[in-house]
Amino acid sequence: MHEKFLKPYDSSATEPGIYAMWEESGYFNPDNLPAELLAQMEGKPYTVVMPPPNANGDLHAGHALGVTLQDIFTRMKRMQGYRALWIPGADHAGFETQVVYEKKLEKEGRSRFGMEPKELYAEILAFTLANKATMQNQVRSLGASCDWSREKFTLDPELVTKVQKTFVKMFEDGLVYRGARTVNWCPKHQTSLSDIETDSVEETSPFYTFKYGPFDIGTVRPETKFGDKYVVMHPDDTRYAEYKHGQTLELEWINGPITATVIKDNAVEMEFGTGAMTITPWHSQIDFEIAKRHGLDMEQIIDWRGKLLPIAGEFEGMKIAEARGKIVEKLKEKGLLVSVDDSYKNVVKKCYKCQSMIEPQVKDQWFVSMAPLANMAVTAVNKGDVRFFPEHEEKIFRHWMENTLDWNISRQIVWGIPIPAWFKDGESVASLESPGEGWEQDTDTFDTWFSSGQWPLLTTGYPDGDDFPTYYPTAVMETGRDIIFFWVARMIIFGLYLTDQVPFPTVYLHGLVNDANGKKMSKSKGNVINPLTLTDKYGTDALRMALVVGNTPGTDLALREDKVKGYKHFANKLWNIARFILENTQDADLAATRTEADEALIAELAVLADDVTLDLENYRVHLAAEKLYHYAWHRLADEILEESKPLIFAEDVEVAAARKATLRSLLTTLLPLLHPMMPFVTEEIWQNIPESTGYLMTTPWPSKTSSHANT
RNA sequence: GCGCGAUUAGCUCAGUUGGUUAGAGCAAUCCGUUUACACCGGAAAGGUCGGGGGUUCGAGUCCCUCAUCGCGCACCA
């Protein structure tokens, strides 16, 4: 008996050594797993791809939950005899990282706009690589049994080329196109964003009604109205029957007389406002669509910085917020203001990072044609090729897929993978190499999700890597519920498009990890819980259990420190269970004949082992963890050990011997079952059991209940 | 507007295909220092499972409806 058992379990003294031991064993790499272990499953692969953390900051509690769940899945499968591969990586996280870095620059009194693109890129790269290294160590400290030898980074040159090739292929297949369309422009970040990178926020804004010749037209954006020379109404609107489509009218407007043209279009809601509206095709999606249908002129009113252009006359150069009131004032003076409704509620789009108002702008960008791809994805889900945990996420997925619009993948930022596209005389071509003389390369980079969407392919070596045939498709995608559209949807699309196979048959979505009061953690609220502070204080096993027990897929979790503390106590309880058993069974004959009561105890745990195995197989991790906790503490410790005391100290040598052997067996069965959730303390105890050999992490799983591999 | 959740003990949550007296952790109460563990043990307490209706031999669980809270999506200017 080692003397460390005489003291309470000390996680901080134990964990680094255990992790180093695992890493040195090489068993995180499935190529090195012992043949006799793999023989159980005839070498079947089991692959999990780690959602690559954004290499722009520290690991947060959500990462800790994800890493814990993925490690639980991987460790169990490894023990079951699968060639278990969990691939780590890091994401350059284009826009997100650039935003983080810009904030850093701001603090230093610098700005990206004064910098050479190459210089900025080099700085962000250095920043990212430093973060990446830190985060890897943080992932290690959570006990992650991932194969570091296969680690990938989205900016690895080989990966960059693969991502670019996908784009070229999509271009050739007609699935991406270059088009001037309305995009979500962030005036602060000076880039366009995809639809899901904006937040729709309901606001109360004044709704103005102005006289526009014989019409009353409504707007919340007077500052865009300079170029409005079309007045649109529904063709069936009897109030305006006297006006004919295409008819022109002379009327007085903001900066003088203009010629307006009547347009009839079904997009106009007759019941809304007066049923007549003017349009600003350059700065409104719906107006753009109308203009396109009728071949109308489009003119930019607001520049890329959010200031009015010369068309605004005396208002040129003003910011929107400043100009709006002044324009209304002028229209009022001219007698053109009919009414103002101050209680009008409308939905405005904001940049999801800086909350600036998104300015719709018409811009040439690369778009992915989503309809055919989304259709493939929905078909696959309908066929049951992808299952969601929790189940209802499937509905959310389908709803989004069926309604999604084309995806703008061009970003006007340096931090990203360059789009391999070339322009000449209004022509656009996708190609890794220049098509020839006079072609200019696209300066934009990809939406970061264009590359991370291919992550299961990139990490397994698509298309010709050695791992690809073995480890793709993967077994399960475990990630945060909040990125189902950003990421999960895109991975399914790219997987189907490039390989005709879904990248994973199972999607497990965890909820948010909130603070103790259930509030979302945020730096501004100051309620961020750093998972590493908790592991330092209570141990990694304790944090892992606290994240997993009672936490069903898809449900948000309130992370309370006392819960973590409770599982620290549990780790100590295990420690003492082990101490008691090992201390009192040193002389045990492990082959002693068991009594009926002993057989019953063995059978009871075997039933639990099967039960827990099924729970884990079916992603009921919360149940498995709780059942094992309950068994260890309230059954084994509170009852079985107490009942055993009189027996093992009794005079009846045979009964004592039988019980001692039984207790040892219970311990060596329980430890593997708990190992996926609490890898450190279980491994540490295992190393001190006389009859144990090798590592707990590669000890066969104590239940042969059915299980499944990658497919 | 469309869609998705949630509502169970003081708090945080489980309750897997409907099946005995609805569970856990934490908190609170009482007792206990017994040959692992006070980071402990024992005991007791605590819920008309949001309201209403329905299906069923039987409903926390299925259906309808209402209420409250939360989330997602959205091109009515």
Side-chain angles (χ1 to χ4, degrees):
Chain A
M1 171 108 314
H2 196 283
E3 65 173 33
K4 68 185 159 198
F5 271 98
L6 301 178
K7 288 182 261 173
Y9 175 63
D10 183 351
S11 55
S12 53
T14 306
E15 292 177 4
I18 294 283
Y19 195 88
M21 181 184 85
W22 287 331
E23 241 188 313
E24 279 160 28
S25 78
Y27 291 150
F28 291 171
N29 180 346
D31 298 340
N32 300 331
L33 285 171
E36 58 278 19
L37 184 68
L38 294 177
Q40 292 182 91
M41 284 294 156
E42 295 147 358
K44 281 187 195 145
Y46 178 88
T47 317
V48 177
V49 171
M50 186 188 294
N54 294 352
N56 59 23
D58 280 322
L59 230 51
H60 59 245
H63 290 127
L65 173 56
V67 165
T68 299
L69 288 167
Q70 292 151 41
D71 197 40
I72 288 169
F73 302 155
T74 307
R75 283 183 186 270
M76 177 177 72
K77 290 294 166 183
R78 185 184 293 119
M79 292 165 81
Q80 283 179 333
Y82 288 91
R83 256 201 276 174
L85 172 62
W86 181 21
I87 312 171
D91 195 338
H92 69 284
F95 180 58
E96 298 246 355
T97 299
Q98 177 139 346
V99 168
V100 170
Y101 200 75
E102 280 179 30
K103 276 189 193 155
K104 187 174 176 287
L105 287 174
E106 231 172 86
K107 271 188 197 161
E108 295 166 2
R110 301 161 70 202
S111 161
R112 103 189 217 205
F113 299 111
M115 297 172 75
E116 282 295 311
K118 273 190 179 171
E119 179 197 354
L120 178 63
Y121 185 95
E123 280 194 28
I124 301 180
L125 181 62
F127 172 75
T128 300
L129 292 177
N131 282 321
K132 184 161 101 66
T134 311
M135 291 176 86
Q136 281 171 359
N137 287 327
Q138 293 175 336
V139 170
R140 280 187 169 88
S141 82
L142 290 169
S145 64
C146 50
D147 182 2
W148 293 105
S149 74
R150 283 177 164 88
E151 195 224 342
K152 295 282 191 297
F153 178 43
T154 46
L155 293 185
D156 291 339
E158 183 198 352
L159 269 59
V160 167
T161 305
K162 287 178 181 180
V163 168
Q164 291 176 328
K165 278 185 178 167
T166 300
F167 174 77
V168 173
K169 178 175 159 61
M170 291 177 89
F171 177 79
E172 287 163 359
D173 290 344
L175 287 167
V176 294
Y177 62 91
R178 180 90 177 160
R181 297 193 17 192
T182 309
V183 299
N184 302 299
W185 182 261
C186 175
K188 176 181 162 89
H189 291 120
Q190 293 291 294
T191 182
S192 65
L193 298 169
S194 66
D195 292 330
I196 52 179
E197 285 167 312
T198 63
D199 291 335
S200 296
V201 183
E202 190 175 82
E203 287 193 346
T204 305
S205 339
F207 183 79
Y208 303 97
T209 304
F210 297 121
K211 271 227 152 329
Y212 188 81
F215 307 101
D216 285 353
I217 57 106
T219 185
V220 285
R221 300 205 60 191
E223 70 277 9
T224 63
K225 296 280 133 188
F226 296 99
D228 288 14
K229 54 183 184 181
Y230 302 103
V231 58
V232 190
M233 55 217 76
H234 198 281
D236 300 338
D237 198 330
T238 50
R239 291 170 295 181
Y240 305 113
E242 60 180 292
Y243 301 100
K244 304 295 172 211
H245 180 82
Q247 178 180 347
T248 56
L249 302 154
E250 298 301 317
L251 55 86
E252 181 63 22
W253 196 224
I254 311 171
N255 289 335
I258 60 160
T259 304
T261 305
V262 173
I263 299 294
K264 302 270 180 160
D265 193 283
N266 291 325
V268 178
E269 299 280 330
M270 286 190 270
E271 294 75 28
F272 186 82
T274 60
M277 67 176 194
T278 61
I279 57 168
T280 314
W282 199 281
H283 298 289
S284 157
Q285 171 86 26
I286 187 168
D287 294 0
F288 177 83
E289 301 288 336
I290 293 171
K292 239 173 60 176
R293 271 197 289 278
H294 302 284
L296 310 180
D297 297 340
M298 305 187 192
E299 193 166 2
Q300 189 172 13
I301 315 295
I302 297 163
D303 75 4
W304 305 102
R305 299 264 170 198
K307 290 181 179 164
L308 288 164
L309 287 162
I311 188 174
E314 65 194 88
F315 302 100
E316 179 188 349
M318 281 189 200
K319 290 215 152 198
I320 290 164
E322 184 192 356
R324 188 177 288 183
K326 290 186 174 164
I327 293 162
V328 171
E329 199 51 42
K330 181 166 183 192
L331 283 163
K332 192 177 171 185
E333 278 166 22
K334 294 180 85 166
L336 296 176
L337 177 64
V338 179
S339 63
V340 185
D341 176 0
D342 283 316
S343 61
Y344 179 71
K345 285 193 167 60
N346 68 331
V347 174
V348 297
K349 279 188 170 187
K350 300 197 165 183
C351 170
Y352 81 123
K353 278 289 144 196
C354 68
Q355 300 299 310
S356 298
M357 292 272 265
I358 290 294
E359 185 58 61
Q361 294 271 16
V362 175
K363 193 168 174 56
D364 263 319
Q365 302 278 271
W366 289 104
F367 291 90
V368 173
S369 295
M370 287 300 282
L373 295 167
N375 191 37
M376 282 195 316
V378 169
T379 305
V381 168
N382 287 345
K383 272 199 305 183
D385 291 349
V386 185
R387 285 183 68 200
F388 287 83
F389 290 87
E391 257 176 62
H392 74 255
E393 292 289 344
E394 183 181 318
K395 290 186 210 164
I396 295 172
F397 177 87
R398 193 180 288 121
H399 184 250
W400 183 78
M401 273 293 185
E402 285 167 355
N403 293 293
T404 188
L405 301 172
D406 286 352
W407 174 19
N408 174 6
I409 52 171
S410 296
R411 294 293 173 277
Q412 291 71 50
I413 58 174
V414 297
W415 183 240
I417 297 177
I419 299 180
W422 307 81
F423 310 127
K424 184 183 177 185
D425 305 331
E427 229 189 304
S428 311
V429 167
S431 162
L432 294 191
E433 305 297 334
S434 169
E437 196 79 4
W439 287 82
E440 270 187 52
Q441 191 170 5
D442 194 344
T443 52
D444 289 347
T445 53
F446 284 114
D447 179 352
T448 200
W449 301 99
F450 187 84
S451 49
S452 49
Q454 300 173 55
W455 198 236
L457 297 159
L458 298 170
T459 49
T460 53
Y462 169 85
D464 46 16
D466 291 344
D467 281 345
F468 187 67
T470 309
Y471 294 107
Y472 184 90
T474 67
V476 57
M477 171 47 59
E478 193 292 327
T479 190
R481 198 192 54 189
D482 51 335
I483 54 174
I484 181 170
F485 308 138
F486 280 109
W487 200 40
V488 177
R490 272 81 176 256
M491 285 190 286
I492 292 173
I493 282 173
F494 280 117
L496 286 166
Y497 169 59
L498 293 172
T499 72
D500 287 324
Q501 282 178 293
V502 292
F504 31 73
T506 304
V507 176
Y508 181 107
L509 296 165
H510 62 251
L512 255 45
V513 183
N514 292 324
D515 74 1
N517 299 314
K519 296 273 180 275
K520 190 172 176 174
M521 294 186 200
S522 76
K523 277 181 194 160
S524 54
K525 274 189 274 183
N527 62 345
V528 174
I529 303 169
N530 181 348
L532 301 170
T533 324
L534 292 174
T535 55
D536 286 349
K537 207 164 164 187
Y538 303 109
T540 299
D541 294 325
L543 176 68
R544 289 169 62 120
M545 283 296 276
L547 288 169
V548 146
V549 173
N551 186 10
T552 48
T555 308
D556 294 349
L557 174 81
L559 181 58
R560 301 148 61 99
E561 192 162 336
D562 63 2
K563 188 176 181 188
V564 185
K565 192 175 163 189
Y567 290 107
K568 172 195 158 73
H569 295 171
F570 179 55
N572 190 55
K573 190 73 182 180
L574 284 178
W575 191 246
N576 281 292
I577 288 169
R579 184 217 293 205
F580 178 82
I581 293 179
L582 293 177
E583 230 168 33
N584 292 296
T585 60
Q586 288 185 61
D587 57 342
D589 168 14
L590 297 181
T593 310
R594 297 192 191 111
T595 66
E596 244 175 68
D598 291 314
E599 293 294 356
L601 292 177
I602 300 284
E604 179 192 350
L605 184 53
V607 168
L608 178 68
D610 289 347
D611 191 22
V612 161
T613 305
L614 283 177
D615 282 338
L616 289 172
E617 298 279 358
N618 292 291
Y619 303 100
R620 298 186 295 255
V621 181
H622 61 294
L623 286 185
E626 192 169 337
K627 284 172 186 172
L628 289 169
Y629 172 88
H630 195 266
Y631 175 83
W633 199 316
H634 300 298
R635 178 72 186 130
L636 179 60
D638 289 349
E639 295 174 355
I640 298 175
L641 292 190
E642 292 306 324
E643 287 162 15
S644 298
K645 281 175 185 172
L647 301 180
I648 58 181
F649 300 126
E651 286 170 25
D652 187 328
V653 181
E654 276 180 30
V655 170
R659 182 50 60 103
K660 285 178 185 178
T662 301
L663 292 181
R664 282 285 269 273
S665 165
L666 295 181
L667 180 64
T668 52
T669 306
L670 177 63
L671 289 175
L673 292 171
L674 269 167
H675 182 256
M677 292 146 208
M678 307 183 77
F680 288 106
V681 67
T682 52
E683 182 74 77
E684 174 71 5
I685 294 170
W686 189 260
Q687 294 302 319
N688 288 281
I689 296 178
E691 70 269 27
S692 76
T693 52
Y695 303 99
L696 180 54
M697 93 179 248
T698 48
T699 292
W701 187 252
S703 163
K704 297 295 175 202
T705 301
S706 71
S707 44
H708 43 70
N710 277 4
T711 44

